[in-house]
Amino acid sequence: MTTTPHPLVARAQRLAGDLLLPQAERVDQEGVPASHVEAVKRAGLLGVVAPQEYGGADAPVAVARETAEILSGACCSTWFVQTQHHTPVKLLATYASPVREKLLRPLATGELMAGIAFAHVRAFPRVPVRAVPEEGGWRFEGRVPWYTGWGLNDVMLLAGVTDTAEVVFVFAEAREQPGLTASAPMRLAALTAARTVSLELDGLRVPEEAVVLRTPQEEFAQVDLPRAANTSPAVFGVAYAALDLVARTPDGEETARSLRTRLDEVRQDAYALADQPAAPGCVPERLAVKTRAYDLLRAATTAAIVAGGGRAMDLGSRAQRLAREGMFLLVQGQTAEARRRHLGSLAASG
C-alpha cells in the first residue's frame, strides 16, 4: 500500500466503504446498476491512467493497482465492469490516431465508458473474429465469446485478425446495430452481475478513422503474453477482503495473520516483476508468481468459507461471494500457457 494515500486512493476507499461494500451482496444477485458506474465516474477513477492533457489523472502505476485492489475487494463485479475501460484508454494514449482526438478526452473524464472485445485474439491461429478490409474501412465477421458491461458501456475496443495475420483494433459503439447482435446476458457461477454477453458479428462495418492500431499478430503476442502473465491486482483485493472476514471470526485471527504475511510477500514479488521490462523468457517467472498468488487466493477464500460455517452456504453470504469471485479470477484473462502451468503446479502440490 502507498505510504501517503493518493487522492484517488482516498476516493476509492470512500466509494468502497460508503457504497460498493454495503451493496455488494445485492449487486451480486441483481446486477451492477448504472448508478454504481456513475459513482465510479464521479470519483475520477475512470481516468486513473489517462494523460493529464486529456483530463485524466496520469497517476503512478502503484495508485492504479491500489485502487483496483480496493474496488475488487469491495465489489468484484463493479471492479470488473470498470476495469475494461482502462485498456482502451492506455491504447489511445500510446498510439496517435484520429480516433484518439475524438475519444480520449471523453473516456479520460468519464463522459464515456469503454469495454473491450479482443481477448479472442489470443486464440490464434484460430480466428474467432475476422477483420476484412473494405473501401473506406473494415468489416468484422465472427463471434466475440465474452463481452462485459453490455448496457453500461458507450463504446468498445474491438479487434479482429486479417487473412494476413494482422490484428486490427477499432472503436465501435457498444450497442446493437447492423452487423452486431448481443446474446442474452450470461448466467455465470460468479460475476453474472457484470452483464457479460457474446457478440455476433455479421458484417459489422467500421470506418477507417475508427482504427486505433494495426499490428502483426506475432508482435501483438510478444507484448500481450508477458502482460497477461502478470498477477491481477484483483487477486490481492479479493484475497485481502476474505482475510478481513476470517480475522473477525472466532479462532480466525492467527490464520488470517499467517496468510496475510505470505500474501504480502507474493504481492511484492508480483508487482516487482510487472514493473520490469518484458524481456525474452520473462513469462515463466511471472506465471510462477501468479500461481503462488492463486494458491493464496484459494486459501484465503476457503478460510472465509470455513470460518463462516453453514452460514457461508447462503447466497447472501459475503464469504461465499468472495469464494465465487476468487474462482472467477483463476480463469480471468487465462492463456493456454497459464492454464498448463497452473495445472502442473496443482499436480505437483498434490
Side-chain angles (χ1 to χ4, degrees):
M1 301 294 178
T2 53
T3 303
T4 302
H6 187 280
L8 288 176
V9 172
R11 293 181 202 169
Q13 289 170 333
R14 286 195 298 271
L15 178 63
D18 295 346
L19 178 66
L20 301 188
L21 187 58
Q23 297 191 22
E25 279 67 56
R26 181 183 64 79
V27 167
D28 178 59
Q29 297 300 310
E30 299 178 6
V32 175
S35 57
H36 272 41
V37 173
E38 290 302 317
V40 173
K41 291 179 178 180
R42 288 195 301 272
L45 296 173
L46 291 185
V48 173
V49 300
Q52 288 183 338
E53 60 266 33
Y54 286 89
D58 198 16
V61 66
V63 170
R65 289 171 181 153
E66 191 168 353
T67 57
E69 290 179 7
I70 293 166
L71 298 183
S72 60
C75 178
C76 199
S77 292
T78 300
W79 163 79
F80 192 51
V81 169
Q82 66 83 44
T83 200
Q84 316 293 313
H85 177 89
H86 302 296
T87 297
V89 169
K90 290 177 186 176
L91 200 66
L92 284 171
T94 303
Y95 297 99
S97 64
V99 74
R100 176 169 74 179
E101 300 311 314
K102 178 181 178 181
L103 289 181
L104 185 50
R105 179 169 292 278
L107 291 175
T109 60
E111 179 185 344
L112 296 177
M113 187 169 182
I116 57 175
F118 68 81
H120 50 270
V121 174
R122 295 172 180 148
F124 191 87
R126 186 167 60 86
V127 180
V129 175
R130 293 175 60 243
V132 182
E134 292 188 332
E135 183 177 356
W138 295 83
R139 186 179 80 250
F140 287 81
E141 305 278 356
R143 182 174 180 270
V144 176
W146 306 93
Y147 181 82
T148 293
W150 186 254
L152 296 171
N153 296 323
D154 302 293
V155 296
M156 64 177 171
L157 178 64
L158 169 66
V161 181
T162 69
D163 289 342
T164 58
E166 183 180 45
V167 184
V168 181
F169 289 87
V170 302
F171 277 91
E173 291 187 49
R175 60 175 179 82
E176 290 204 347
Q177 55 190 289
L180 189 159
T181 305
S183 72
M186 297 181 187
R187 293 291 300 170
L188 306 171
L191 274 74
T192 286
R195 304 198 194 186
T196 298
V197 299
S198 62
L199 301 176
E200 297 294 335
L201 305 177
D202 182 20
L204 175 67
R205 286 173 166 79
V206 180
E208 184 66 36
E209 56 267 27
V211 175
V212 64
L213 176 66
R214 294 171 57 181
T215 183
Q217 185 279 330
E218 185 175 351
E219 292 184 13
F220 167 79
Q222 288 174 353
V223 173
D224 181 65
L225 289 177
R227 180 176 54 212
N230 292 328
T231 309
S232 168
V235 169
F236 301 111
V238 170
Y240 283 127
L243 293 180
D244 287 343
L245 280 185
V246 175
R248 295 198 295 267
T249 62
D251 306 318
E253 188 173 347
E254 181 54 38
T255 298
R257 183 183 301 113
S258 175
L259 288 173
R260 183 179 292 274
T261 297
R262 292 156 58 191
L263 191 65
D264 288 344
E265 293 171 355
V266 174
R267 178 182 182 271
Q268 182 176 357
D269 291 345
Y271 290 165
L273 287 173
D275 287 337
Q276 294 177 8
C282 70
V283 169
E285 185 178 12
R286 296 185 187 205
L287 289 178
V289 172
K290 190 174 191 175
T291 299
R292 286 166 52 205
Y294 282 159
D295 290 342
L296 288 167
L297 170 65
R298 189 172 64 251
T301 55
T302 299
I305 294 290
V306 172
R311 295 184 302 278
M313 293 301 99
D314 189 293
L315 283 176
S317 161
R318 182 158 296 172
Q320 186 198 104
R321 172 177 61 81
L322 290 168
R324 288 187 284 106
E325 291 170 351
M327 177 179 66
F328 163 80
L329 292 172
L330 296 180
V331 298
Q332 187 243 332
Q334 183 188 63
T335 63
E337 180 64 15
R339 180 170 56 250
R340 284 193 294 267
R341 288 185 175 273
H342 195 179
L343 289 173
S345 174
L346 291 170
S349 64

